[in-house]
Amino acid sequence: MTRRMWRRLFRHHLPLAAGSVAGTIVIAKLTGVESPRLWSLATAFVSLGLLAAAMSIGPLNVLRGQPNPVSADLRRDVGIWAAIVGIVHVVIGLQVHLHDPVKYFLVRASDGTMRIRHDIFGAANYIGVLATLILAVLLALSSDAALRYLGTQRWKTLQRWTYWLAVLVVLHGILYELIEKRTLPFVLLFAATTLAVIVLQYRGWQAKRETVQSVRAGQTESME
C-alpha cells in the first residue's frame, strides 16, 4: 500500500467503519421494533447520513472558499461507506417484510400467475432497485483507476448521477415512511437530513455562480 492509501485507511476508512457500526447499533436500539426490521431501518439511516455527508463536502468547500477538486479523498471515502452500508441495507431489507425477495416485486394474481406489483410497496422497491444500481456504479467509480481510465470529464459526468441517486433515495424513503408508518422522530430526522442537503447544495451552487460571474466581470473590465 502507498503512503496515501495508509493515510486514507487510518484517517477515513477505519473511523467511517467504526462510525457506521456504532451509528447502526445506536439507531437499532432506538427503533423499538423487532429484528431484522430494526437493522434495515438503522442501516437505511446510516447510509442516508453518509450520502448526505458526501454530498455536503463539495458545497461546504465552496462556501468556505477552499479548493474543491473533481475527486477528493474524503468525499470519495465517505461515498464508499455510504454505498457499503446502503448495499447492506438492501440485503437486510429484502428479508424483512415477506421473507421472499421475489414477492417484493411480483404478486400472485387470481389466475396463479406472477405479475408486477403496482402498489406503493412495489413502487418503493422498484425505486430502491434503481437506486442500488446507481449506487453500485458510483462505488465502481470510486477509485483512481476508474478516474484514469475514464478521464476527468467522463468520470465527473458519471459521478453526477449521485444527484439522481439522492432523488431516488428520498422517494424510496418517503414511500417507506408511509408503508411502515414510522414514528415522528424518524420522520423528522429524514426530513431534516434531506432539507439540509438541499439547502447546502443550493447555497454552494449559488456561491459558485457568483464566483464565476465575478471572474467574468473582472476579465471584461481588464479587456476594456
Side-chain angles (χ1 to χ4, degrees), residues 161-172:
W161 276 85
T162 301
Y163 298 108
W164 287 109
L165 169 65
V167 171
L168 292 172
V169 166
V170 170
L171 290 175
H172 176 78

Side-chain angles (χ1 to χ4, degrees), residues 215-224:
V215 171
R216 287 177 177 173
Q219 290 175 343
T220 301
E221 290 177 0
S222 65
M223 292 173 64
E224 293 178 350

Side-chain angles (χ1 to χ4, degrees), residues 54-59 163 196-206:
M55 295 185 68
S56 299
I57 292 172
Y163 298 108
V197 174
I198 292 173
V199 171
L200 273 175
Q201 285 287 326
Y202 175 74
R203 289 291 295 119
W205 171 81
Q206 192 177 46

Side-chain angles (χ1 to χ4, degrees), residues 155-209:
W155 184 90
K156 188 61 180 177
T157 298
L158 290 172
Q159 195 270 340
R160 287 195 179 100
W161 276 85
T162 301
Y163 298 108
W164 287 109
L165 169 65
V167 171
L168 292 172
V169 166
V170 170
L171 290 175
H172 176 78
I174 290 173
L175 291 178
Y176 261 99
E177 296 275 350
L178 297 173
I179 292 168
E180 297 185 342
K181 297 180 175 60
R182 290 177 183 163
T183 58
L184 184 60
F186 286 106
V187 173
L188 293 177
L189 178 59
F190 179 83
T193 303
T194 303
L195 182 61
V197 174
I198 292 173
V199 171
L200 273 175
Q201 285 287 326
Y202 175 74
R203 289 291 295 119
W205 171 81
Q206 192 177 46
K208 188 175 181 178
R209 183 185 179 189

